Amino acid sequence: MTVDVDELTDVIKNSNQKFRKARDEISRVIVGQKEMIDRLFVALLADGHILLEGLPGLAKTLAVNSLSKVIQCDFKRIQFTPDLLPADLIGTNVYNPKEGTFTVNKGPIFTNILLADEINRAPAKVQSALLEVMQEKQVTISGETHKVGKPFLVLATQNPIEQEGTYPLPEAQTDRFMMKVRIGYPSMEEEKEILSRMATLEKSPEPQPILTGDEILETRKIVNQVYIDEKVVEYLLQIVFATRDPGAFGVDAENLIMYGASPRASIGMTIAAKAYAFLSGRAFVTPHDIKQLGHDLLRHRIRRTYEAEAEEVSPDEIIDRIFEKIPVP
C-alpha cells in the first residue's frame, strides 16, 4: 500500500492535537513522569500492554486512573494477592436455583483498562488467567467465549525491591507485555510541585475527559498507515537479532544472554514506533523512534545468563551495547 506522506502528515497533525491535549490533561494531575505518560499513549494506540515497575508511591495507579478518565473508558483495578483465584479475575458461572439455570457472573477483567496491581503477588495459576485475554481479547468461562471491551489495555505493576511472597511472571506472560516501563523518583523540583498540588486536605485535581474509546479505535487506523522505511525495518531487525546472537553483530554480550527477544518483539517495536511517530506529529518512523522505545520493548524479553547476573550486568546495559554496535541507517 502506497502512502502519501505529505497528505498523511496533515491528517496526523489534525488528529494528534487531541492526544497532546490528553497528555497535558494527565500532566495536570501527575507531576513529571513524562516518559510513563508517553508510553501509556503509545500502548493505547499500538494495542499493547504495559508492565510498570517502580517503588510504591510513584503515582502508577493515579496515572492509570487519570488515563481512563481522560479517554472516558471503563477502568477496574485488581489487587493481586496470594489467595486470589482465577475466577476472581475472569468471573464464573452462577447457578440460579429458582430458574434452574446458570448465568455468567463476569469478573473485573471485562473492562477497557485493567490495572493489575502487584501482579507478581499472585500465583502462576492466576497470572495465567490473563494470557488468553491479553493476546486474544477474549475470556473463556465454562467453555463459552466472551469478548472484552474495545479498546482493552492491561497495565500491571510490580515492586522491584520487595521480593518476599512474590511469584516470578511466567515467560509466556512477560512476553505478552509490549513494554516494561521503569519508573524512578521525581526530582526535588518535581516533588516540590507534588507537595503544592497534593499535600492538602482539599480535593485533588481531576482530569477532564478529552478523548473517547471510539476515537482511539479510529486513530489506530491512522497509526497503521504511518510509513516505515525498509532501512528502518532492517535496523530494528538487526537490534532484535543481536539479542539472540550478539556475536554475529560484534556485540560483546555472548556470555551474558541465555536467550533473546521473540518475533513478538519485532512486531511490537514496529507498531509502537508508528504510534510514537504519530504522537510526535510525523507520518514516518525514524531510527530515533526505535532507540527511544528500544529499552522498554526489550528489557523484559532478554533472559540473562547466571554469569550476567553474577556480574550484575542489567538487561538495559546489554541493550546499550547493542545500540552502540548496530549502525544507524
Side-chain angles (χ1 to χ4, degrees), residues 194-207:
I194 290 170
L195 291 178
S196 70
R197 292 190 197 181
M198 301 297 186
T200 174
L201 297 178
E202 294 180 4
K203 193 175 181 182
S204 300
E206 286 276 329

Side-chain angles (χ1 to χ4, degrees), residues 1-2 18 32 72 95 101 117 124 170 173 201 203 214 216 245 266 283 300 314-315 317:
M1 182 179 68
T2 305
K18 270 198 167 184
Q72 302 178 74
Y95 181 66
T101 58
D117 225 344
Q173 185 179 358
L201 297 178
K203 193 175 181 182
D214 288 339
I216 289 160
D245 186 6
S266 306
H300 57 300
S314 70
E317 289 178 68

Side-chain angles (χ1 to χ4, degrees), residues 285-319:
V285 175
T286 69
H288 176 73
D289 299 332
I290 306 296
K291 278 196 165 186
Q292 282 291 103
L293 298 170
H295 289 78
D296 298 318
L297 283 150
L298 295 174
R299 64 165 60 101
H300 57 300
R301 292 186 163 105
I302 293 176
R303 181 67 180 269
R304 293 175 298 161
T305 62
Y306 294 116
E307 184 179 332
E309 291 179 7
E311 294 177 5
E312 297 184 344
V313 179
S314 70
D316 283 349
E317 289 178 68
I318 295 172
I319 296 165

